[in-house]
Each structure stands twice: as structure tokens, then as C-alpha cells.
């Protein structure tokens, strides 16, 4: 069993960096334990040591650990330069972004269900999203024709910084709840502001008219 507290940590950290750099997606901590022949707790300690080293050495990379696993990401300090290269990369079209949003919030969802929401054919867009590893086939729906069910991939979750689809849906639900609450609050305040002057004015006019009538009598 590997002892992460031994002086050989330097070479271990180098091997860990190579594994994380070469991986196409986050590496589960349990898998890292298998690769380095150590317990999960020791793998976590090794990751923590590596993460601290990246910060101390002011490297351009940072270690991100989520429910999916561990992965390397760019350092916040390098965001200005990273954004420049990303701007040169191929971006998703508005149609692809809209289709991706529908899939993310309604998955698992069929092609016809997506088209019902968007109102247009999305066959080509779906193929493009699948080729970009943002969308994948989850299976088939138990209905007439057994259409393919689509959902988002781990690549998509990493790109938006979300650990799971459930987390994404919870955050959207909370945001919508806050928006609805705020909207209702604004509506109530607007109604009160609108009604108050009218009621007060009517009340004053009624009192003044009554007093004037008594004086005349």
C-alpha cells in the first residue's frame, strides 16, 4: 500500500498530475486509489496535497473535486487569457443552445418532445450536440415507435460547473421560486401604492363634503 506521507510524494504528485491531465473526464477518487494502490482516504489526502501545491506554486491550474471525481481546471487568475482562447473556439449556435437547454431541463426527452417545445426540426442540431459530447442517448421510451431518449453528458455538467442533473434542476427550481416570489411581491406593492391614494382621497372628499353640508344647514 502506498504511504502518501513518505518523501516519494513528489513523484506521486507528478504521476497524479499526469493521470488527471490525460483523463478525458473527472477521475473518481476510488479509481485513483486503485491506480496508486492506496485507500480512498489516502487518495483524498494526496489530492489535497496536490491542490495546495498548485496554489503555493502559483500554477495556472487548479484541482476541482466534485461528486463525479477529480479534474484539472484553469486557475481563476488566468481567466483573462483563457477567455481569449475560448473566444476563438467554435461556439454553439443559438439553435444548439436552445436545444441543449430544453434537454437539460426536461431530460430524459425525445426528439419529438424537443421539437414540440422549439417548434422546429432539430435533427441536425441533435447530431451536432451528440458529436460535441454534450448530449447522449439514454435509451428508448416505452411508447409507440420506441423513440430515443436524450440527456446531457458529464462534459455538459463540467462545462456549467454542476455536479449532477438533480443539482441543476434544484438550482433552476430555486431560481424560479425566487423570481415568482419577487414578482408577486412587486405586484402586491404596486397594487397597494395604486389603491392607497384613491382610498385616502375619496375618504377626505367625503368628510369635507359632509362638513360643508353641516355648515350650510
Amino acid at each position: 500500500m502506498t504511504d502518501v506521507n513518505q518523501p516519494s510524494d513528489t513523484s506521486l504528485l507528478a504521476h497524479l498530475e499526469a493521470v488527471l491531465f490525460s483523463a478525458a473526464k473527472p477521475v473518481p477518487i476510488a479509481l485513483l486509489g486503485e491506480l496508486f494502490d492506496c485507500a480512498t482516504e489516502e487518495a483524498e489526502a494526496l489530492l489535497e496535497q496536490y491542490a495546495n501545491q498548485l496554489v503555493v506554486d502559483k500554477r495556472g491550474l487548479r484541482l476541482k473535486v466534485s461528486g463525479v471525481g477529480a479534474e484539472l481546471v484553469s486557475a481563476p487568475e488566468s481567466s483573462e487569457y483563457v477567455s481569449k482562447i475560448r473566444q476563438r473556439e467554435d461556439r454553439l449556435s443559438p439553435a444548439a443552445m436552445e436545444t441543449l437547454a430544453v434537454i437539460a431541463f426536461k431530460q430524459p426527452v425525445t426528439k419529438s418532445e424537443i421539437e414540440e417545445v422549439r417548434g422546429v426540426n432539430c435533427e441536425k442540431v441533435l447530431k451536432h450536440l451528440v458529436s460535441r459530447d454534450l448530449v447522449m442517448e439514454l435509451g428508448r421510451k416505452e411508447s409507440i415507435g420506441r423513440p430515443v431518449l436524450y440527456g446531457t453528458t458529464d462534459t455538459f455538467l463540467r462545462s456549467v460547473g454542476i455536479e449532477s442533473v438533480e443539482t441543476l434542476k434544484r438550482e433552476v427550481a430555486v431560481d424560479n421560486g425566487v423570481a415568482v416570489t419577487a414578482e408577486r411581491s412587486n405586484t402586491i406593492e404596486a397594487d397597494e401604492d395604486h389603491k392607497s391614494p384613491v382610498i385616502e382621497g375619496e375618504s377626505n372628499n367625503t368628510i369635507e363634503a359632509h362638513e360643508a353640508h353641516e355648515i350650510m344647514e
Side-chain angles (χ1 to χ4, degrees):
M1 181 177 293
T2 302
D3 186 354
V4 297
N5 295 316
Q6 293 299 319
S8 59
D9 281 359
T10 301
S11 59
L12 269 178
L13 294 178
H15 297 324
L16 173 64
E17 185 174 64
V19 169
L20 295 175
F21 178 79
S22 302
K25 57 184 180 180
V27 182
I29 298 178
L31 178 56
L32 288 174
E34 293 180 17
L35 295 176
F36 291 97
D37 190 25
C38 64
T40 301
E41 293 76 13
E42 292 176 315
E44 291 175 344
L46 187 64
L47 287 170
E48 183 177 356
Q49 185 179 350
Y50 176 59
N52 292 334
Q53 180 179 307
L54 290 175
V55 175
V56 172
D57 294 345
K58 297 181 179 180
R59 303 280 295 277
L61 298 174
R62 291 293 182 269
L63 179 67
K64 178 182 178 182
V65 179
S66 65
V68 182
E71 64 179 322
L72 291 175
V73 297
S74 60
E77 298 81 4
S78 304
S79 60
E80 177 184 351
Y81 302 95
V82 173
S83 62
K84 289 180 180 180
I85 187 62
R86 285 183 175 174
Q87 289 173 2
R88 296 172 179 266
E89 294 177 346
D90 182 27
R91 296 181 178 180
L92 292 176
S93 66
M97 291 290 291
E98 184 178 336
T99 301
L100 186 57
V102 173
I103 296 173
F105 300 135
K106 289 185 172 294
Q107 61 184 310
V109 62
T110 66
K111 173 176 170 290
S112 61
E113 290 169 341
I114 299 171
E115 292 173 343
E116 184 177 351
V117 174
R118 295 197 59 230
V120 294
N121 185 287
C122 61
E123 184 173 356
K124 290 185 179 180
V125 175
L126 268 176
K127 289 182 178 179
H128 179 62
L129 292 175
V130 171
S131 68
R132 292 284 294 270
D133 192 31
L134 295 172
V135 170
M136 64 180 178
E137 296 183 6
L138 300 179
R140 291 186 175 274
K141 187 174 184 179
E142 294 301 328
S143 61
I144 299 177
R146 301 189 72 246
V148 175
L149 288 169
Y150 292 95
T152 53
T153 64
D154 290 340
T155 301
F156 167 76
L157 293 178
R158 292 201 303 275
S159 68
V160 296
I162 299 294
E163 295 182 6
S164 65
V165 174
E166 290 70 24
T167 302
L168 175 64
K169 291 184 176 181
R170 281 199 303 270
E171 291 192 3
V172 172
V174 170
D175 290 342
N176 287 341
V178 172
V180 170
T181 302
E183 182 178 352
R184 289 178 178 174
S185 176
N186 292 335
T187 302
I188 293 173
E189 291 177 358
D191 288 343
E192 290 177 348
D193 292 341
H194 177 71
K195 292 178 181 178
S196 295
V198 176
I199 295 174
E200 184 179 353
E202 289 179 351
S203 177
N204 291 339
N205 291 338
T206 302
I207 294 174
E208 291 175 358
H210 181 67
E211 293 177 346
H213 179 69
E214 289 180 347
I215 293 174
M216 292 178 64
E217 288 181 346

